[in-house]
Amino acid sequence: MTTVISSVVLLWIIGSFLSIVYYHQSKTEYINSVNQAAIESAFPNVHIRETTSDTQSFFRMQSQMEAYKQIGREEQAIGTFTFHQLFDKTSGVEKEFSGGKYDLNLSFVYPDQKKLKLHAKEYKEWTNETWNALENLPKGTVSEVAISFDDTYSLKEVQQKMNAIDSRDFSTSWYALNTGNEQKTSTKDEPLIDLTSTFGFPEFLDLPYEHKENQTHSTSKSNVLGMMKLLADNEETVQKVRQLDHSDLLLKQRYSYVKKHGVGVYGVVITGPTKKLLKLKNDPSITYASLGDVELWNWFNRPSSGTLMNQ
């Protein structure tokens, strides 16, 4: 019996050592970059703030990613994504959302000129409902809004556009990316883009494997291309995060489109003081707006803060 136990222990030690060697720093960074890109590209205004990786015996690893969204100037935890790796493959993804669920209230319209004319009345009605909601909300609140443009613009054009309005009044937190397939994800009778097929990227796209840029610098075109390449090279992981099959994802085609046509943006998520967001109400380039979360006023800098964890 002692021999059997000793053999099992020795086998476990060897298996653990092999996993540590296999999941060296560079490989772990690459895997975590893929996982992070799969999440941040799929969920508007969501970014990964903390990642913990644990190697397990016999070429297995588990990574936990804490996901947050920005509402006003505060980050709100939305849940945890746990990735299970076997060698380089993602064997499973567990999602544990705060409160047991995550509401997808933000939506976008693709700038298909035919569809913009066909559904013009609906877009106007829905957008007016969003502006009316912002007008009726108390002044002491901050809100999250997704807006769609009348055309696809370059990343630089969108950033200049947002800055021209006055970036001190709100933050642009996520960009909806034109991957050449958005127009195909909705039928003639469905005016909104299917949220499961929306691709985008956060304002500060920081993938540890591909990019070592300081996070104080906003996202560049090369960052976005790097993200799309990670997704295209790791379709199985994206499938498990989005729960879609290959015919819906078309990741290699999307990557090729962005590589050929550049980083085109047709919508953004903005957040800030509710009344300040109304500055966009009469912008002729905005075809549609949807309201996400609303929180109490937090548009200020705290001189000191901290967090106590459960023990």
Side-chain angles (χ1 to χ4, degrees), residues 15-42:
S16 298
F17 175 75
L18 291 173
S19 292
I20 292 172
V21 173
Y22 184 80
Y23 292 112
H24 52 82
Q25 182 179 353
S26 179
K27 182 175 286 292
T28 299
E29 284 186 350
Y30 177 82
I31 290 171
N32 286 337
S33 292
V34 172
N35 299 343
Q36 181 177 333
I39 295 168
E40 293 183 340
S41 65

Side-chain angles (χ1 to χ4, degrees), residues 223-238:
N223 293 80
V224 180
L225 280 173
M227 179 196 76
M228 292 303 296
K229 187 175 190 309
L230 284 175
L231 299 179
D233 291 343
N234 296 274
E235 185 172 293
E236 190 174 347
T237 300
V238 182

Side-chain angles (χ1 to χ4, degrees), residues 82-85 89-94 240:
T82 303
F83 291 81
H84 300 277
Q85 304 290 147
K89 293 186 66 175
T90 300
S91 58
V93 179
E94 298 172 17
K240 286 184 168 60

Side-chain angles (χ1 to χ4, degrees), residues 49-243:
R49 186 170 142 190
E50 300 168 11
T51 300
T52 305
S53 296
D54 260 335
T55 55
Q56 301 172 339
S57 60
F58 303 109
F59 306 102
R60 294 176 299 132
M61 185 174 74
Q62 178 177 295
S63 294
Q64 281 194 330
M65 296 192 153
E66 302 295 331
Y68 289 76
K69 69 187 308 184
Q70 183 183 345
I71 310 294
R73 283 216 172 123
E74 289 187 356
E75 294 185 328
Q76 185 180 92
I78 68 162
T80 302
F81 291 79
T82 303
F83 291 81
H84 300 277
Q85 304 290 147
L86 179 61
F87 290 97
D88 291 343
K89 293 186 66 175
T90 300
S91 58
V93 179
E94 298 172 17
K95 307 180 187 80
E96 187 175 345
F97 294 117
S98 304
K101 64 175 184 176
Y102 180 65
D103 295 322
L104 296 169
N105 294 322
L106 299 175
S107 53
F108 294 94
V109 166
Y110 185 76
D112 176 349
Q113 299 306 314
K114 290 182 180 178
K115 193 167 283 188
L116 288 176
K117 292 179 181 178
L118 179 64
H119 298 286
K121 183 178 179 181
E122 292 167 288
Y123 295 150
K124 186 175 181 179
E125 288 178 354
W126 295 337
T127 301
N128 284 340
E129 286 181 358
T130 296
W131 300 137
N132 289 337
L134 295 178
E135 286 173 346
N136 288 317
L137 282 166
K139 186 177 180 180
T141 58
V142 291
S143 299
E144 171 195 39
V145 172
I147 58 175
S148 300
F149 299 123
D150 59 350
D151 204 346
T152 297
Y153 296 92
S154 71
L155 178 58
K156 184 177 181 180
E157 287 174 329
V158 173
Q159 290 171 335
Q160 289 175 340
K161 179 181 180 63
M162 294 294 101
N163 289 333
I165 297 169
D166 196 341
S167 58
R168 293 173 300 177
D169 289 339
F170 55 80
S171 295
T172 304
S173 58
W174 198 84
Y175 298 82
L177 176 65
N178 182 12
T179 65
N181 284 269
E182 285 70 22
Q183 191 173 0
K184 305 171 187 176
T185 62
S186 57
T187 64
K188 180 180 178 182
D189 297 325
E190 177 53 62
L192 301 180
I193 298 175
D194 181 359
L195 279 177
T196 62
S197 300
T198 303
F199 281 76
F201 54 93
E203 169 67 12
F204 300 108
L205 177 59
D206 181 55
L207 301 175
Y209 175 80
E210 288 286 356
H211 305 287
K212 298 295 182 183
E213 296 178 83
N214 190 306
Q215 270 196 314
T216 57
H217 296 92
S218 57
T219 296
S220 66
K221 291 185 289 185
S222 63
N223 293 80
V224 180
L225 280 173
M227 179 196 76
M228 292 303 296
K229 187 175 190 309
L230 284 175
L231 299 179
D233 291 343
N234 296 274
E235 185 172 293
E236 190 174 347
T237 300
V238 182
Q239 285 178 321
K240 286 184 168 60
V241 170
R242 290 181 176 257
Q243 297 178 320

